[in-house]
Amino acid sequence: MAYLAGKMVLAVEAGAPNNGKGEDTKARVKYARIRGQSYPYVSAQAARRWIRDGMVELGSVPSPVTRVGKAQGKAQKANTEADPVRYADDDLFGYMRAGAKKDDAATTLRDSPFMLGTLLSVEPVRVTEDFGVMSRGVIEPVLHGHEFYTADLAAPFLLDVPRIGTFTVPSTEGVGRPNYLSQEAALAVAEAAAAGATPITFRHQSAVRLPLEERRERAALLLEALAHLSGGAKQALHYGDRVPALLVVVPFQGGVNPLAHCIDSERDVGARLRGDVLRQELSAWKGEWEPPVRIGWRPGFHDEQRLAFEKECAEELAAGQIVVDHPRTLLRDLAAELRDGRHDGWFDDPTRGAA
C-alpha cells in the first residue's frame, strides 16, 4: 500500500474556530452557501496549522518563517526555510519559496504529501450572532459582535506515504519540480545531519530519499499530532475540543479516497457513518486496500449511530476487517506500529500485478 486514505469529523459546540474577514465591529465565521443554505467550515489551511502546532508540542522543530515583500494589502509573501531534509513540517506540508526576480533566483517548491480537504459542516446550520459590550471602566461602552455555531465538520485526507522524506530532482527540462530539491543540497544537508540520504529513482524521476527510520518517525509524528489536535480562534470565549470525534482510515493502493461518501448526516442528529456505503466501497475497490479499516469513534458521540453502524457491519467487525476504537488510541497505536517497522511496505509504491 502507498497511501493512507481517511475522513475525519470534528464536533464543534458553540464555537468559532475559524473566522473570516470581519465587518466593522463584528467577527464573522467562515461558511459556504450551498443551495441557498449556510454550511460553516474550517479551512484546510487553519487545520493544517493546528496539526503543525501539535507536531511542535511533540518535540518537532518547526521550519523558521520569514515574512518578505511589501506592506499589508500589497504584494507580500512569507517563506519557510524550504528545507524538507532538516524540517519535518517542510517535508510533510510542502512549501513554495519564490526567488527574487531582481536576482534571477529560482523558485523552490514541494507539493504536500499530506492532503486535507475543507472541514465542512455535514448539514446546513443557522449561524448565531452574539452581541457584546465592553463597559468596564469606560464612560461610553464599546459595542462589538461575533458569530458562532454548533456543527459536525467533515473532511477527507490523504497521506502519500512513499513521498515522505523523498525529494525528486528536476531534470534539465524542469521535470520533477513539484518536489524540488537539488541533489547537492539534499545530500550536503543530510551528510551534515548524519541522515544518510541516498539517490534513488522514484516514480520514473531521479530523487534522493532519507533513511527509512526517519521517514517512519515523520509519518508517526503526523498521526500523533492528529491524536491530540487542538487550536482555533475564539478559544477564550468558545473553548472547545478539536480531537476528531469520528475518524476512518484505510491503507490504499491508489491515490484516491474511497471514503468520500461514507460520512453524511442524519436529520436533526448530525454526522453519521454509513456502514452500507462503506461496505459497497470496500467491495468495489477489492484488492486495492489493506485490512483492517480503522475507525475511531469517541464515546458519547452519536451513540445510536454507532450502534446502527456496528449492526450493519457486524460480519466485517467479527472478521477483523473493520476495527473500532477511540480516535486517539487508534492514531497512537498506528503511529507505534509505523515506528516498529510493521508497515514498512507502505513507504514504497506497490508493484502492480506482482501477486
Side-chain angles (χ1 to χ4, degrees):
M1 298 299 132
Y3 297 85
L4 275 180
K7 194 158 187 175
M8 64 178 177
V9 175
L10 304 189
V12 176
E13 184 176 352
N18 190 205
N19 290 326
K21 185 176 181 181
E23 298 177 4
D24 298 325
T25 60
K26 186 181 299 180
R28 299 283 193 185
V29 297
K30 292 181 178 178
Y31 63 88
R33 296 289 290 176
I34 302 174
R35 291 183 286 276
Q37 295 181 295
S38 299
Y39 289 73
Y41 70 89
V42 169
S43 70
Q45 179 185 11
R48 283 161 61 93
R49 167 65 185 272
W50 303 349
I51 300 170
R52 281 179 184 256
D53 290 346
M55 290 170 54
V56 173
E57 291 175 14
L58 292 168
S60 177
V61 178
S63 181
V65 178
T66 304
R67 190 184 190 283
V68 296
K70 299 180 181 179
Q72 192 77 21
K74 298 182 180 180
Q76 54 183 314
K77 55 187 176 181
N79 295 328
T80 68
E81 283 295 296
D83 185 350
V85 174
R86 188 182 301 273
Y87 300 108
D89 58 340
D90 272 345
D91 179 11
L92 293 168
F93 295 95
Y95 52 78
M96 184 180 75
R97 184 169 185 168
K101 290 184 179 180
K102 63 182 181 66
D103 299 328
D104 196 28
T107 293
T108 301
L109 56 97
R110 171 172 174 77
D111 54 352
S112 175
F114 177 65
M115 294 154 270
L116 176 67
T118 299
L119 282 152
L120 181 68
S121 175
V122 298
E123 57 188 354
V125 171
R126 185 180 295 276
V127 174
T128 300
E129 184 175 312
D130 183 56
F131 175 73
V133 177
M134 169 56 183
S135 58
R136 187 177 66 254
V138 296
I139 297 175
E140 186 172 350
V142 177
L143 309 181
H144 60 88
H146 71 274
E147 295 177 334
F148 66 91
Y149 59 87
T150 295
D152 295 336
L153 312 182
F157 61 88
L158 190 70
L159 178 62
D160 188 348
V161 182
R163 281 198 44 233
I164 298 173
T166 305
F167 316 111
T168 56
V169 180
S171 67
T172 54
E173 292 79 22
V175 176
R177 290 187 66 85
N179 308 302
Y180 171 82
L181 186 72
S182 73
Q183 185 170 0
E184 295 78 11
L187 291 173
V189 175
E191 289 171 359
T198 56
I200 65 165
T201 298
F202 180 69
R203 297 176 184 172
H204 308 292
Q205 297 178 21
S206 297
V208 291
R209 170 172 278 179
L210 296 179
L212 181 57
E213 183 178 356
E214 175 63 22
R215 300 169 66 218
R216 291 174 185 154
E217 177 61 30
R218 292 183 178 187
L221 186 65
L222 178 68
L223 296 179
E224 289 178 336
L226 277 172
H228 75 257
L229 192 64
S230 63
K234 294 289 183 184
Q235 288 287 312
L237 298 177
H238 293 290
Y239 171 74
D241 181 55
R242 299 291 172 254
V243 174
L246 179 60
L247 178 80
V248 188
V249 181
V250 59
F252 204 68
Q253 189 158 293
V256 299
N257 193 321
L259 307 172
H261 303 293
C262 293
I263 293 176
D264 61 9
S265 63
E266 176 77 9
R267 184 176 178 87
D268 299 325
V269 175
R272 66 172 174 176
L273 176 57
R274 293 277 301 277
D276 58 333
V277 174
L278 178 60
R279 293 172 69 233
Q280 291 178 59
E281 287 286 358
L282 294 178
S283 177
W285 295 99
K286 185 178 180 180
E288 297 286 320
W289 60 279
E290 177 183 306
V293 177
R294 296 166 173 85
I295 296 175
W297 205 314
R298 297 186 72 176
F301 180 73
H302 302 336
D303 288 335
E304 291 185 0
Q305 295 291 346
R306 177 169 179 170
L307 291 173
F309 171 81
E310 292 176 348
K311 182 178 179 180
E312 173 69 32
C313 296
E315 183 178 337
E316 289 78 10
L317 287 163
Q321 291 186 312
I322 297 175
V323 296
V324 182
D325 206 336
H326 192 288
R328 177 173 171 80
T329 304
L330 180 155
L331 290 165
R332 287 166 58 88
D333 286 351
L334 185 53
E337 292 172 12
L338 287 168
R339 284 195 177 95
D340 290 343
R342 292 174 56 182
H343 303 298
D344 284 353
W346 296 356
F347 289 87
D348 285 300
D349 285 328
T351 303
R352 297 279 183 173

